[in-house]
Amino acid sequence: MRAHCQKGKAAAPRINSIELRRYLAEELKKSKRYSSPVDYRNDTDREIAFRQESNFYYLTGCNTPSSYVLAAYQPGTSLDTTPSVELFIPEANLADMMWSVPPVSLAAAQEIHDVTRVDHPPALPAAVAKLMKALPGALFHVLPRASPLFPAIEEEYLQPILAAENQGGAVTDFYLLSALHRARLTKDAHEISLIQKACDISSRAHEVVMRVLGAAVKGGIVAGAGAGVERPLLPGEWLIEKEAEAEAIFVASCRRENAVHQAYLPIVAASTRASTLHYCCNGGNDKEFAWGPVGAHDHQNRNSLSSGRDLKPQVLLIDAGCEWTCYAADITRTMPVGNGGKFTPEAKAIYELVLEMQKACMEILKPGLHWDAAHLLSHRVLVRGFQKLGIFKSPSSPNSGSWASEEAILASGQSTAFYPHGLGHSLGMDVHDVPSASKPAVNTTIAENNKAVELGHTSFYEFLRLRVKLEEGMVVTVEPGIYFSPHLLASVRESALIDHEVLKRYESVGGVRIEDVVHITAEGMENLTKVKSDVEWIEGVCSGAL
Ligand code: GLY
Ligand code: MN
Ligand code: MN
């Protein structure tokens, strides 16, 4: 959010925003924030990729490690409307310059950042002491000091405040984080443009993977062609035949467009592994696609890839998004692999149902709607769809009755065995953004209604990360899914509500998730995700026809 504090681009740093002031005014008279230091791997001097602490970046737009910001507010004075903002960035160290890019100079930082003053961290204690003298009794708000989730603050910087405690001053780490989280929950136009950019790059990366798959189906990429013993394969020459190859293409496409970080570890799961929700580490993203004979009902397109083997018809689920200047994308596409780049009838039926769940929810999104209601609707559409497919029984099933009605199945909570996670979450600087503001301890739907039937089964909400009413300016993901995970299905193996013979036919689909990023607007929502998801387009690209 550099532009927030770049001179000439925005009038004031984020710390001045009306939105933040609204939340902070009650709680924040003076704040002191500090950014992450560069971390090193284990016991070595090898840097771990630096990513600025989100709250610090939100306030400052400053991407320099080991920096501090000191802001002073005083309600009812000029410091209320124009807080004093002092930024402390490390001095370039000659001994370090041969290893690393040095921090910007003070003069350059003063040019870049619209702050009252820029200095080096050793000047911070004196600045704090000066403020304490000018504002006796002021509260110093800092991020939680005892938490490993936030950078440690040097105790010496707190000494002037502690020394002033007998004049009523105190350090508190209770209010700042919750105020920041509330402010971060809604985004302004500049933040939306950064999320849009992250989504655009990520959308193209998803499409690139699909197009490489499609090119191979069409015979445009031939195993090993171009490479002999003399040279390795060049980008564009290798087939995607395993999860790692798909991941590599996705990440390369983002990096090519200057995205520095992925917003989270990509999840790249083929075949039944798509039922593992966060399949990314400890052996995730690491398997070959499934090989085997193509079934009788499959399309007659080309399937043979390297080694003369046939890819089994399967799905490839990619949940991946890059970050753009500390703002995230979070997009999932599920695509057909093998079978000539077409879904099997079972995978197609599940895919279309997940898409229907997503569309139904998107249609009702608008400010004032409680996210619980959208989540409940996604379960309702799933139950209805499963009844049509015959996986869930219905009152018209043989030997059935009203005990198998849509409401009864919803009330049973058994749809969570297929769809255990939430419909989506707030997205912003972090993928699961601002947890404390997204999921308050007291849920207003429950408080208002106190009726389990209107909420469906309590299990629907166990992993729902957003439990508030939508507000204009929020950015959320809409990501329904349907999975056939042996672990989750264990709980419904004896269920009388399920036709187990029908269920068996769908289990090899593994899992389907479709995830888009949407911006809540005054009228409803705007989809920030450009890569398409309709079956015709996905199959067209993955089969090489489009
Ligand atoms: N990428 C993680 C999630 O969708 O929540
Ligand atoms: Mn998500
Ligand atoms: Mn995701």
Side-chain angles (χ1 to χ4, degrees):
M1 215 166 33
R2 202 171 192 86
H4 274 291
C5 61
Q6 276 184 336
K7 286 187 170 166
K9 288 202 176 176
R14 159 68 60 180
I15 211 159
N16 258 353
S17 82
I18 294 169
E19 175 196 47
L20 183 64
R21 274 217 317 277
R22 198 171 91 224
Y23 296 126
L24 287 182
E26 348 145 4
E27 298 169 339
L28 182 67
K29 297 195 177 68
K30 281 199 246 161
S31 83
K32 183 175 177 191
R33 280 288 301 113
Y34 37 98
S35 76
S36 313
V38 172
D39 282 332
Y40 296 91
R41 179 182 292 208
N42 297 333
D43 194 17
T44 76
D45 64 353
R46 297 308 306 128
E47 300 90 348
I48 293 174
F50 174 74
R51 200 294 196 160
Q52 189 57 284
E53 199 279 325
S54 294
N55 295 294
F56 183 85
Y57 195 76
Y58 181 77
L59 290 173
T60 64
C62 171
N63 208 19
T64 307
S66 300
S67 297
Y68 291 78
V69 67
L70 176 65
Y73 291 81
Q74 191 178 37
T77 72
S78 61
L79 279 181
D80 188 10
T81 46
T82 316
S84 137
V85 181
E86 297 171 83
L87 185 63
F88 300 86
I89 57 170
E91 191 167 9
N93 178 334
L94 273 184
D96 287 342
M97 277 161 72
M98 66 185 256
W99 298 109
S100 310
V101 179
V104 291
S105 68
L106 290 184
Q110 189 76 65
E111 274 300 301
I112 295 167
H113 299 290
D114 187 10
V115 293
T116 318
R117 154 177 119 88
V118 185
D119 209 330
H120 296 306
L124 180 54
V128 172
K130 192 172 160 199
L131 272 181
M132 287 313 295
K133 207 165 163 202
L135 304 169
L139 281 179
F140 254 74
H141 296 263
V142 296
L143 285 187
R145 279 169 292 166
S147 167
L149 299 176
F150 302 99
I153 187 163
E154 305 279 343
E155 279 305 315
E156 66 175 283
Y157 298 153
L158 301 177
Q159 284 313 318
I161 309 143
L162 299 174
E165 267 185 329
N166 56 1
Q167 297 163 35
V171 184
T172 167
D173 44 19
F174 188 69
Y175 304 104
L176 180 57
L177 186 64
S178 70
L180 278 163
H181 279 182
R182 280 155 68 204
R184 282 174 50 191
L185 196 56
T186 52
K187 278 79 183 171
D188 66 17
H190 180 65
E191 294 179 283
I192 298 292
S193 74
L194 298 179
I195 296 172
Q196 180 70 73
K197 175 96 180 177
C199 286
D200 288 351
I201 294 172
S202 307
S203 285
R204 284 190 284 273
H206 277 282
E207 184 170 339
V208 167
V209 175
M210 289 185 230
R211 290 202 176 278
V212 173
L213 287 167
V217 171
K218 276 283 177 198
I221 305 175
V222 178
V229 282
E230 305 85 22
R231 68 168 180 83
L233 290 172
L234 306 181
E237 287 180 342
W238 80 67
L239 292 165
I240 302 181
E241 298 181 317
K242 55 184 184 181
E243 293 157 356
E245 285 163 336
E247 180 184 4
I249 298 226
F250 184 93
V251 173
S253 179
C254 295
R255 188 67 191 107
R256 206 192 132 251
E257 295 201 50
N258 296 328
V260 176
H261 298 292
Q262 292 292 303
Y264 51 98
L265 289 176
I267 297 161
V268 185
S271 186
T272 50
R273 295 181 292 276
S275 68
T276 302
L277 304 180
H278 285 183
Y279 174 83
C280 54
C281 16
N282 293 332
N285 298 8
D286 215 16
K287 301 282 186 301
E288 285 196 352
F289 291 169
W291 303 93
V294 179
H297 57 266
D298 303 330
H299 302 257
Q300 297 305 304
N301 300 13
R302 183 177 176 279
N303 290 292
S304 297
L305 297 178
S306 66
S307 332
R309 293 181 294 179
D310 281 342
L311 281 173
K312 223 178 200 168
Q314 63 200 285
V315 296
L316 172 64
L317 183 155
I318 302 184
D319 180 345
C322 72
E323 196 174 80
W324 186 257
T325 55
C326 289
Y327 279 81
D330 183 7
I331 299 173
T332 307
R333 287 293 177 266
T334 306
M335 55 206 82
V337 166
N339 202 31
K342 304 277 177 79
F343 290 112
T344 62
E346 291 76 18
K348 187 171 171 182
I350 299 302
Y351 188 95
E352 283 181 329
L353 179 51
V354 174
L355 203 55
E356 199 182 324
M357 290 160 73
Q358 194 198 42
K359 277 191 182 147
C361 294
M362 282 183 178
E363 269 168 25
I364 62 166
L365 298 186
K366 61 175 185 194
L369 178 87
H370 201 292
W371 190 244
D372 282 4
H375 182 62
L376 178 60
L377 177 62
S378 64
H379 272 275
R380 186 177 288 286
V381 176
L382 185 159
V383 169
R384 226 172 260 169
F386 266 26
Q387 286 183 315
K388 271 193 209 138
L389 293 175
I391 299 174
F392 275 138
K393 292 183 184 165
S394 53
S396 58
S397 304
N399 307 319
S400 194
S402 59
W403 53 267
S405 68
E406 181 182 307
E407 294 305 330
I409 296 174
L410 268 178
S412 76
Q414 290 188 23
S415 46
T416 42
F418 303 92
Y419 172 35
H421 60 73
L423 173 66
H425 48 84
S426 166
L427 178 98
M429 307 191 76
D430 294 302
V431 168
H432 296 159
D433 210 40
V434 289
S436 75
S438 299
K439 197 168 177 171
V442 178
N443 181 291
T444 51
T445 321
I446 291 174
E448 282 166 17
N449 297 326
N450 201 22
K451 283 186 194 159
V453 72
E454 282 185 38
L455 281 166
H457 196 270
T458 50
S459 66
F460 293 171
Y461 302 93
E462 191 176 351
F463 300 109
L464 186 59
R465 291 190 163 92
L466 184 63
R467 298 204 70 185
V468 294
K469 285 184 179 167
L470 294 175
E471 289 174 43
E472 186 179 350
M474 280 184 181
V475 173
V476 298
T477 64
V478 188
E479 53 173 307
I482 294 178
Y483 311 89
F484 300 92
S485 155
H487 310 295
L488 295 168
L489 293 180
S491 67
V492 293
R493 285 295 182 202
E494 305 297 323
S495 169
L497 293 169
I498 290 172
D499 184 326
H500 295 279
E501 282 307 308
V502 179
L503 170 59
K504 231 182 259 168
R505 294 212 311 268
Y506 288 91
E507 288 189 38
S508 65
V509 172
V512 171
R513 177 162 68 254
I514 305 170
E515 176 174 26
D516 285 12
V517 174
V518 309
H519 165 213
I520 305 301
T521 58
E523 280 77 41
M525 55 134 261
E526 166 197 22
N527 195 335
L528 304 180
T529 315
K530 296 284 162 54
V531 60
K532 294 185 193 174
S533 54
D534 60 281
V535 171
E536 199 181 337
W537 187 83
I538 295 273
E539 287 190 337
V541 173
C542 292
S543 66
L546 285 181

